[in-house]
């Protein structure tokens, strides 16, 4: 069941990346939709977005790993303590499940923003280059950021 849900989600992300993409940004969107730590934005030249996607991937995957391993260890310890002590609290299940949920949310938010950020970068970079034509001549105004 979980494999089906994850496969549908991945296909949905790739479909959204392909449908909403301009022809030049499709490659970057697909690379950002997959686990790549922001390599699509890095190839596009958007290092700020690549940094945030890297942070999102690392923190999301780390929290998901910690939560998942914690759930497995809690399950083993719960069975052991239930046999030896009798009455055991289930708070650790909730804590590790919450960590796993937060990691999943951070990771999925990074995937969603990874699809959006290449268009944002393309729009802001094209806005800096303004071309105006006056009577056959082209006047170009460039905004430089230092």
């Amino acid at each position: 069941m979980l494999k089906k849900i994850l496969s549908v989600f991945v296909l949905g992300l790739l479909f959204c990346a392909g449908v909403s993409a301009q022809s030049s940004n499709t490659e970057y969107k697909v690379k950002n939709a997959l686990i790549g730590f922001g390599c699509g934005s890095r190839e596009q030249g958007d290092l700020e977005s690549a940094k945030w996607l890297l942070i999102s991937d690392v923190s999301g995957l780390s929290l998901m790993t910690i939560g998942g391993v914690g759930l497995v260890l809690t399950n083993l310890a719960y069975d052991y303590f239930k046999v030896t002590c009798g009455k055991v609290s289930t708070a650790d299940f909730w804590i590790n499940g919450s960590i796993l949920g937060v990691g999943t949310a951070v990771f999925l938010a990074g995937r969603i923003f990874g699809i959006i950020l290449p268009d944002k970068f393309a729009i802001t970079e094209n806005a800096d280059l303004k071309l105006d034509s006056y009577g056959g001549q082209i006047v170009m105004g460039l905004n430089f950021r230092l």
Side-chain angles (χ1 to χ4, degrees):
M1 178 70 177
L2 183 62
K3 289 181 182 179
K4 290 181 182 178
I5 292 171
L6 289 176
S7 62
V8 167
F9 178 75
V10 169
L11 289 175
L13 278 178
L14 293 175
F15 178 75
C16 290
V19 166
S20 66
Q22 297 173 355
S23 62
S24 62
N25 293 332
T26 304
E27 176 185 353
Y28 305 125
K29 286 182 169 199
V30 170
K31 286 184 179 181
N32 281 344
L34 301 173
I35 300 174
F37 305 101
C39 65
S41 291
R42 204 171 19 256
E43 286 181 10
Q44 190 180 19
D46 187 8
L47 297 180
E48 186 70 24
S49 295
K51 176 181 75 172
W52 286 108
L53 290 173
L54 173 69
I55 291 170
S56 166
D57 281 354
V58 169
S59 61
L61 289 173
S62 299
L63 287 171
M64 285 193 304
T65 303
I66 290 168
V69 169
L71 279 175
V72 170
L73 293 177
T74 300
N75 193 19
L76 294 174
Y78 180 80
D79 292 340
Y80 174 75
F81 285 124
K82 183 123 179 153
V83 168
T84 58
C85 300
K87 188 175 182 181
V88 182
S89 171
T90 58
D92 289 341
F93 284 110
W94 289 99
I95 292 169
N96 289 318
S98 299
I99 292 171
L100 180 64
V102 167
T104 304
V106 168
F107 182 74
L108 292 179
R111 301 284 60 90
I112 292 168
F113 283 114
I115 294 172
I116 297 170
L117 289 174
D119 282 338
K120 178 199 147 280
F121 181 73
I123 290 169
T124 56
E125 288 302 307
N126 289 336
D128 290 343
L129 179 65
K130 298 175 184 171
L131 298 174
D132 295 323
S133 62
Y134 296 106
Q137 64 179 350
I138 296 176
V139 177
M140 185 182 306
L142 296 174
N143 296 330
F144 293 103
R145 296 182 201 153
L146 299 176

